[in-house]
Amino acid sequence: MPKPCDLQINIDGQQIFLLKEKVISKYCGGLKKILNHRKRRGHVKQELGIRINDFPGGPEGFELVSMFCYNNGKIQITEANVCLLHCCAVYLGMTEEVLSNNLLQQTEAFLQGIFNWKWSETLVILKSCERFYAYADGYGLLEKIISVLAKFVQNSDSNLLMSSPSASSSSSSPETNSAKRFSFSSKKTTPEKIKSTLSRKAWWFDDLATLPPNIIEKLVQAIGAYKADNKDLVLTRFLLHYLKLATQTRVVNSSNNSAYAALAETATYGVISVGKEIFSCRGLFWVLRIVSKLGLGRDVRTELEKLIGGMIEQATLDDLLVSGHDMGVYYDINLVIRLVKVFVDMNGSDDGMCLQKLKRVGRLIDKYLREISPDQNLKISKFLGVAECLPDSARDCYDGVYKAIDIYLQSHPIITFEERSRLCRCLNYTKLTFEASKDLAKNPRIPPRVAMQALISQQSKVPTIDYVTESPRVKPSQLVLYNEKTRNSFTKEKKEMELNIDKMQWGVIELAKLHKEMNGHVSKLILLDPPRSSSSPRFC
């Protein structure tokens, strides 16, 4: 009659295995030492139970070990289970010192052929290590497997860059890989060919995209293109593809964020190494959107922003609309301010080419201001930060800034009088068109002194006008435009201005004060109507 099981093994608190001590001790040196130690301390048979926490592969891994032991040291080893069996053998001390041709020796013999395996076989082994990554890494398995994978990737990089863009993906398959590594000094490879080739995915992109970030990080290290050392264009493209999928599927969490951040930094250094020769301004903004979500380091982010800022005149409004994370603001206002300041520092000279670029950026920023103005969380300081990050020479006309201010005031109706005046400080009244000045003057959201200053600034654009005083019957608040040649005729602009002044009675009082200061306490003034050829009336 066979002896009953006399040993209990509790694996991770998930499953209890009832085993024969003699069978398990024959192969597992680690368990044999534990049992012998307990016996020497006087434990009885009933107490010979062992709990093992964090076993490689959990209950599944221990079940494979049990099968090996109960089958007289034999088990079918495959690509799918070799890594798990190897880790279990190391963990339990299943070495040749315990028994000849033990499990550890059998798995090592199987792994000796790893450098001759196909891509698919190597990938299967690597994916099997995800469940017991720490053990596979600690026992040196990952280093072996990833070194094989790195050779596949490096050789495929060479073929991808050396082949024509129209070539099929089969030309870069594992079976046809060249043994040579791509060299930047290759005469056959031009920047144009590289740029067109990089728009395509290599055959291995999607295969590796399912791997966890810690394995990808080790792959990058094995290739020798980690962080600042990354000069590999195809690897950079893969990392961006990988990180984009990660952000879209939201698999990034606190436990793996550091690994993703390291990959984002590596990808960014790869982008910086080729700069604008390969990536367009829109492409760089695309990169920035991806890596910004993964905790990019300050130094590498600064370098990327310098690259973007240096060519921001090529950007569009959509490029600048990067999501923000600061105090609920919808867009990243600080980013745009930093990029524009970089551009101004690099293009601050007064030569014609730089001035044209500056004006192009000025028009872009005015569009951006109008886009962000409705944001309820946008502070006046941030609005001014964007409006004033460019020098005055960047704008021939400030109508765009005024429109943005008007949108802001409509969207923020409760801001104080002082805040409204502060908001308008970014306007250059002399660079407002006459139409914009008229609209500003009758805008009830604009403080009266600001409106009067805008109107008065127009006087430099019209010829000198004679001023006469009419009958004392005229009320001090009545101001009439008068021209000696067309005394009895009023233009359309004049009528609109009179209607405007009637609506702004509070503004007239302010204007009277300005007149007294400028003309020696003139209390009754009639402005003669200017000719139609004049661009605007003159105010004194």
Side-chain angles (χ1 to χ4, degrees):
M1 183 175 179
K3 294 182 178 180
C5 299
D6 54 2
L7 179 64
Q8 293 184 7
I9 305 287
N10 186 324
I11 301 297
D12 297 339
Q14 300 178 13
Q15 187 171 342
I16 297 176
F17 291 84
L18 301 177
L19 306 166
K20 292 183 178 180
E21 177 188 343
K22 184 177 180 180
V23 175
I24 295 298
S25 300
K26 179 180 179 181
Y27 297 95
C28 302
L31 287 177
K32 185 177 182 180
K33 288 181 180 180
I34 294 175
L35 293 171
N36 289 338
H37 177 70
R38 289 193 172 190
K39 289 177 181 178
R40 286 195 298 270
R41 297 184 62 180
H43 289 79
V44 295
K45 282 279 185 179
Q46 287 78 6
E47 296 177 347
L48 292 182
I50 300 174
R51 181 185 176 101
I52 302 177
N53 294 320
D54 196 24
F55 189 81
E60 179 185 349
F62 194 83
E63 184 175 1
L64 289 176
V65 171
S66 301
M67 292 172 58
F68 175 82
C69 296
Y70 276 86
N71 197 33
N72 296 320
K74 296 179 182 179
I75 193 171
Q76 184 179 5
I77 301 178
T78 65
E79 292 86 357
N81 66 17
V82 63
C83 289
L84 180 55
L85 288 172
H86 182 85
C87 291
C88 292
V90 175
Y91 187 92
L92 293 174
M94 303 175 73
T95 63
E96 196 152 1
E97 285 77 12
V98 178
L99 186 71
S100 178
N101 196 30
N102 209 340
L103 182 58
L104 183 60
Q105 283 67 45
Q106 293 184 34
T107 56
E108 287 179 341
F110 189 89
L111 289 169
Q112 285 179 356
I114 191 172
F115 293 99
N116 298 320
W117 290 351
K118 297 179 180 179
W119 169 267
S120 57
E121 296 171 337
T122 307
L123 203 62
V124 168
I125 291 179
L126 192 58
K127 288 184 176 180
S128 71
C129 295
E130 292 182 32
R131 294 172 297 159
F132 46 93
Y133 173 86
Y135 289 110
D137 186 27
Y139 296 155
L141 272 179
L142 283 179
E143 183 178 352
K144 291 181 181 179
I145 302 170
I146 289 177
S147 64
V148 176
L149 207 66
K151 289 188 177 181
F152 278 113
V153 171
Q154 287 176 312
N155 292 336
S156 87
D157 286 2
S158 175
N159 286 340
L160 182 65
L161 288 165
M162 299 288 283
S163 63
S164 64
S166 60
S168 64
S169 61
S170 62
S171 64
S172 297
S173 63
E175 290 73 19
T176 59
N177 280 338
S178 170
K180 297 181 180 180
R181 184 73 177 95
F182 171 72
S183 171
F184 286 102
S185 61
S186 173
K187 295 181 179 179
K188 296 181 180 179
T189 307
T190 63
E192 291 75 16
K193 178 178 284 190
I194 293 174
K195 192 170 183 178
S196 60
T197 302
L198 286 176
S199 62
R200 300 182 295 123
K201 292 191 298 183
W203 55 267
W204 49 270
F205 277 23
D206 290 331
D207 288 341
L208 297 189
T210 59
L211 294 174
N214 44 16
I215 290 181
I216 299 298
E217 183 178 9
K218 286 192 171 293
L219 174 63
V220 172
Q221 291 173 340
I223 294 175
Y226 188 62
K227 292 192 175 181
D229 294 328
N230 181 22
K231 302 294 187 295
D232 191 308
L233 301 180
V234 177
L235 180 64
T236 298
R237 180 66 70 179
F238 162 71
L239 289 176
L240 293 173
H241 171 72
Y242 180 83
L243 296 173
K244 178 184 177 182
L245 292 178
T247 55
Q248 288 177 341
T249 56
R250 298 186 178 182
V251 298
V252 185
N253 52 54
S254 57
S255 63
N256 58 23
N257 183 68
S258 60
Y260 278 110
L263 295 179
E265 189 170 337
T266 301
T268 305
Y269 274 119
V271 171
I272 293 171
S273 68
V274 295
K276 58 185 179 181
E277 295 179 2
I278 302 299
F279 289 88
S280 65
C281 185
R282 169 156 290 188
L284 292 175
F285 270 105
W286 175 76
V287 172
L288 182 64
R289 281 180 168 87
I290 293 175
V291 299
S292 294
K293 301 176 181 178
L294 302 169
L296 195 64
R298 178 179 297 181
D299 292 341
V300 65
R301 184 185 180 93
T302 299
E303 291 300 317
L304 179 60
E305 289 181 2
K306 285 182 180 179
L307 190 61
I308 299 174
M311 53 194 301
I312 199 174
E313 79 279 359
Q314 302 175 20
T316 65
L317 177 60
D318 289 339
D319 295 332
L320 297 186
L321 300 179
V322 179
S323 298
H325 310 282
D326 181 26
M327 301 297 290
V329 177
Y330 193 73
Y331 296 118
D332 194 341
I333 309 297
N334 294 329
L335 168 66
V336 174
I337 294 175
R338 291 196 302 270
L339 294 178
V340 174
K341 286 183 177 179
V342 168
F343 175 82
V344 172
D345 290 342
M346 298 176 65
N347 298 272
S349 60
D350 294 331
D351 61 83
M353 182 64 71
C354 290
L355 189 58
Q356 289 302 315
K357 289 183 179 180
L358 201 61
K359 290 181 178 180
R360 196 175 303 138
V361 175
R363 293 190 291 270
L364 175 63
I365 292 301
D366 288 354
K367 293 179 182 179
Y368 182 74
L369 280 171
R370 294 196 293 272
E371 185 70 26
I372 66 175
S373 292
D375 189 346
Q376 292 297 310
N377 294 312
L378 180 63
K379 296 181 179 179
I380 292 177
S381 59
K382 293 299 181 183
F383 182 98
L384 292 174
V386 177
E388 296 176 344
C389 63
L390 284 168
D392 185 69
S393 57
R395 296 182 176 95
D396 291 329
C397 178
Y398 271 73
D399 286 15
V401 180
Y402 165 63
K403 291 177 182 178
I405 291 175
D406 190 34
I407 295 172
Y408 187 92
L409 293 176
Q410 292 181 51
S411 305
H412 302 76
I414 63 174
I415 63 174
T416 65
F417 181 87
E418 291 75 12
E419 289 174 327
R420 293 169 186 264
S421 299
R422 179 186 170 206
L423 184 67
C424 294
R425 80 180 190 192
C426 59
L427 285 174
N428 183 340
Y429 305 121
T430 62
K431 288 189 176 183
L432 287 172
T433 63
F434 179 55
E435 293 299 323
S437 296
K438 288 197 302 180
D439 186 80
L440 185 151
K442 63 185 178 182
N443 191 335
R445 292 175 290 273
I446 299 294
R449 180 173 290 274
V450 173
M452 294 306 105
Q453 287 175 346
L455 291 174
I456 291 171
S457 67
Q458 297 295 317
Q459 66 180 331
S460 61
K461 301 179 182 179
V462 298
T464 302
I465 301 174
D466 294 331
Y467 299 91
V468 300
T469 305
E470 216 178 68
S471 170
R473 297 178 184 176
V474 181
K475 297 180 180 179
S477 62
Q478 291 178 312
L479 301 177
V480 183
L481 291 173
Y482 176 76
N483 182 277
E484 292 181 354
K485 297 181 180 179
T486 57
R487 187 184 300 263
N488 297 320
S489 64
F490 292 93
T491 62
K492 181 180 179 181
E493 290 82 358
K494 166 65 176 57
K495 292 179 180 179
E496 290 179 356
M497 190 60 67
E498 284 185 338
L499 179 61
N500 171 34
I501 295 176
D502 288 338
K503 293 179 180 179
M504 296 177 60
Q505 294 181 2
W506 46 266
V508 175
I509 297 174
E510 186 69 22
L511 180 60
K513 293 180 181 179
L514 293 175
H515 284 317
K516 290 179 181 179
E517 295 174 3
M518 299 172 65
N519 297 288
H521 306 285
V522 178
S523 61
K524 297 179 182 179
L525 181 63
I526 300 176
L527 293 180
L528 304 184
D529 190 348
R532 290 186 60 88
S533 60
S534 297
S535 60
S536 63
R538 176 180 177 181
F539 290 85
C540 295

